[in-house]
Amino acid sequence: MTRLFEVRDLNVMLPTRHGPLAVSRDISFSLEEKQILGVAGESGCGKTMTMLALTGLLPPGSRVSWKKLELAGRSCDPSCRTDISKMRDKGISYIFQEPGTHLNPLFSIGEQLTETILCNNRGLRAKTARQEAVRILENVGLRPAGDFLRRYPHQLSGGMNQRAMIGLALAADPKLLIADEPTTALDLLTQRSIIDLVLSLVRTRGLSVIWVSHDISLMESFADTLAVMYAGRIVESGPAKDMTRHARHPYTRALIHCLPERLKEKRFQPIPGHVPALNAETRGCAFYPRCPFGMPACAQAEPLTIETENSRKIKCFFPQNT
Amino acid sequence: MLLSAEHLTKYYPLRASIFSRARACVRALEDVSFRLPEQHSLGVMGESGSGKTTLARLLANLIAPTRGTLSFSPAISDRTKDIQIISQNPWEALDPRMTIGQSLKEPLIIHRMNDIRDRLRRSLDLVGLDRHCLNRLPHEFSGGQRQRIVIARAMSCGPKILVCDEPTSSLDISVQAQILNLLLDLKEQQKLSLIFITHDARLLPVISDSILVLHSGIMVERGPREAVLNKPLHPYTRQLMTLSKLHEKPQAARGAGGAGCPFWQVCSLKKTECSEHLPEIVQISPEHWVRCCHFL
């Protein structure tokens, strides 16, 4: 296995009316080739912001810094503004949550695809680009492709639009695909078919995938490694099966317990309280106010990330044992 | 019986423009029958495009059925008041220009209720929101809080039936658990009946007492919760149930329309006659019905 992507100590600050807000802090992870990393957490935990930062898609004025950011052996210079966009152009594609709002309603699927193909291969002839577009559409399961080239996003269902979006992502011939909640708006059958499509792309094209979702049990079924984010930090990470079977951080446990299949006395088990606002400055562990196992020490200082056996990383003073 | 639906059918006409004649129809719902006793919750399960939302809109009197009847017990005197609907998307259900107070008051004014203030306070207490939110606007709230506000608005006129059209599909998983617990509490405390529409079979064991499964607008199975979840009869229901256990890989899904059974193309048990005509619905046990030629 070769390492494809590595990020160490990524910090993201967003400008707001009330001053800069830290939305991700000290994010570190790495990804091997042909691997799938699942990123879990509630809304407002900074999952999307982190992914946008890794691709240089944040709004202007935001400050992103890192110690190391490397894709396929090519590292990125934090002081150079455009370096990260160049890295993205070379090998990262992004699938957004709502395909309906991220595809251009004024252009047909074919026009959008050929445009992307031509942007990535300067000097290609329009006819070749069109053939390539047909090939891609067949690849993502939109057949007959010639028919779909002429259609507009509003003529397609949510699942088909998501397929078209994956097609657009493939047009740039990426090494890494970032999928930000790609199936949240879809029903179960469509969701499964999109997952199967991405898995087949991992096998056939050797893609690596970062899959962002709040459904940890969904990702357990296909991800190799999992990372759980809370309040802009990665609180636990490790091999997927091991993480969900023996969750050690109280937040990971809480996330697993609020799944519909975990019932207690005929009631679902939501996590009490709310995700803290990003401007709430806490000295201690960010999860302490909601944590059922919290101790006074948790309020005093932020826990460091400890590494345990079988490459698990936990950011907690009192990791739970199963 | 609080409500009974007989052979509910809804076709939507297809027109080239609004002035031209309908040339064809979309079959959104075909021959759906069920009964809803008091304090009972009926789970309606199906994929997108299966007619779930059409059923919700028919029940809430937002559209009229093409064929079939809905009859109500005397307990339901005013349909618009006693049946309330909670829509899928809390972002679109609240007017962005109205304060929460104005939004919550609107149904009370329309139904000429007295003691508006008391009712407002009570419905806010029911959903666990505090009174300060009345002067604020929808954009100041998160998705889960907005869904609470929508539920408060639905509860304010004291409905007997709450039609929930995928109330949690746009919410994240912890908020989903909160909202579902709230609906279950309301059902018990306020003696409500629920019609709970969802595509997630994982929610059904808790939220529903009986289950109705739709495929392309056709009711393929209906029965008590245990029977449908543990011993599903229709091949389509079986497939949906395995899908909810996410680790198992489903077979190729979906069938196309046409005259026959909506599921015949991908059905593992298909016979030749499946493609030709729609099987009649068959009673298997007093409460369990299935529409599949294998049970004729």
Side-chain angles (χ1 to χ4, degrees), chain A residues 33-221:
Chain A
E33 264 176 23
K34 293 196 181 190
Q35 269 209 331
I36 302 177
L37 165 73
V39 180
E42 290 168 275
S43 326
C45 282
K47 306 185 299 280
T48 301
M49 282 301 157
T50 308
M51 296 307 139
L52 290 175
L54 288 176
T55 42
L57 293 173
L58 284 176
S62 44
R63 276 183 288 157
V64 185
S65 66
W66 60 84
K67 281 207 183 106
K68 185 178 181 187
L69 181 60
E70 202 175 273
L71 178 77
R74 181 187 182 281
S75 66
C76 225
D77 181 8
S79 58
C80 174
R81 248 189 200 187
T82 52
D83 212 23
I84 196 162
S85 333
K86 278 185 199 151
M87 180 185 83
R88 181 190 67 220
D89 292 345
K90 284 277 177 298
I92 307 181
S93 283
Y94 205 105
I95 311 176
F96 295 93
Q97 181 171 3
E98 282 169 43
T101 55
H102 285 94
L103 290 168
N104 193 331
L106 297 176
F107 292 95
S108 68
I109 301 295
E111 284 166 320
Q112 297 187 46
L113 259 175
T114 39
E115 185 194 8
T116 316
I117 293 166
L118 288 172
C119 278
N120 283 290
N121 306 284
R122 292 281 154 82
L124 204 68
R125 285 174 55 202
K127 201 177 163 191
T128 341
R130 208 181 141 78
Q131 282 165 354
E132 174 69 11
V134 168
R135 204 181 56 78
I136 286 172
L137 282 186
E138 279 177 353
N139 229 330
V140 296
L142 292 176
R143 295 191 197 100
D147 214 33
F148 280 101
L149 281 181
R150 280 191 300 276
R151 301 238 203 135
Y152 287 84
H154 73 269
Q155 296 173 307
L156 305 181
S157 69
M160 288 177 188
N161 267 329
Q162 196 55 277
R163 280 167 189 272
M165 180 101 118
I166 295 174
L168 272 182
L170 292 181
D173 197 21
K175 300 185 187 78
L176 173 65
L177 187 66
I178 299 180
D180 188 2
E181 309 219 16
T183 61
T184 309
L186 306 175
D187 73 44
L188 277 185
L189 282 169
T190 322
Q191 179 177 57
R192 195 69 234 183
S193 73
I194 295 288
I195 293 169
D196 287 344
L197 170 65
V198 172
L199 292 183
S200 76
L201 292 172
V202 170
R203 275 195 309 274
T204 55
R205 299 181 66 130
L207 277 179
S208 299
V209 179
I210 299 179
W211 190 290
V212 179
S213 171
H214 56 246
D215 194 338
I216 197 166
S217 80
L218 173 78
M219 293 194 296
E220 185 218 352
S221 64

Side-chain angles (χ1 to χ4, degrees), chain B residues 114-188:
Chain B
N114 35 22
D115 53 312
I116 286 184
R117 250 190 194 191
D118 272 2
R119 278 174 182 275
L120 268 189
R121 201 182 316 134
R122 252 179 289 148
S123 59
L124 281 181
D125 286 344
L126 276 183
V127 299
L129 285 171
D130 81 275
R131 229 166 302 162
H132 303 296
C133 75
L134 285 176
N135 294 322
R136 291 160 67 185
L137 288 164
H139 73 261
E140 298 174 56
F141 294 90
S142 68
Q145 284 172 315
R146 275 185 228 199
Q147 201 58 295
R148 278 176 198 272
I149 293 164
V150 174
I151 294 173
R153 183 174 62 182
M155 293 304 298
S156 63
C157 4
K160 307 281 188 311
I161 302 176
L162 212 52
V163 180
C164 312
D165 184 7
E166 304 208 36
T168 59
S169 66
S170 57
L171 304 176
D172 94 32
I173 212 136
S174 166
V175 181
Q176 161 170 299
Q178 289 171 12
I179 296 290
L180 292 175
N181 280 348
L182 171 65
L183 287 172
L184 286 170
D185 291 342
L186 286 177
K187 182 193 160 205
E188 274 168 23

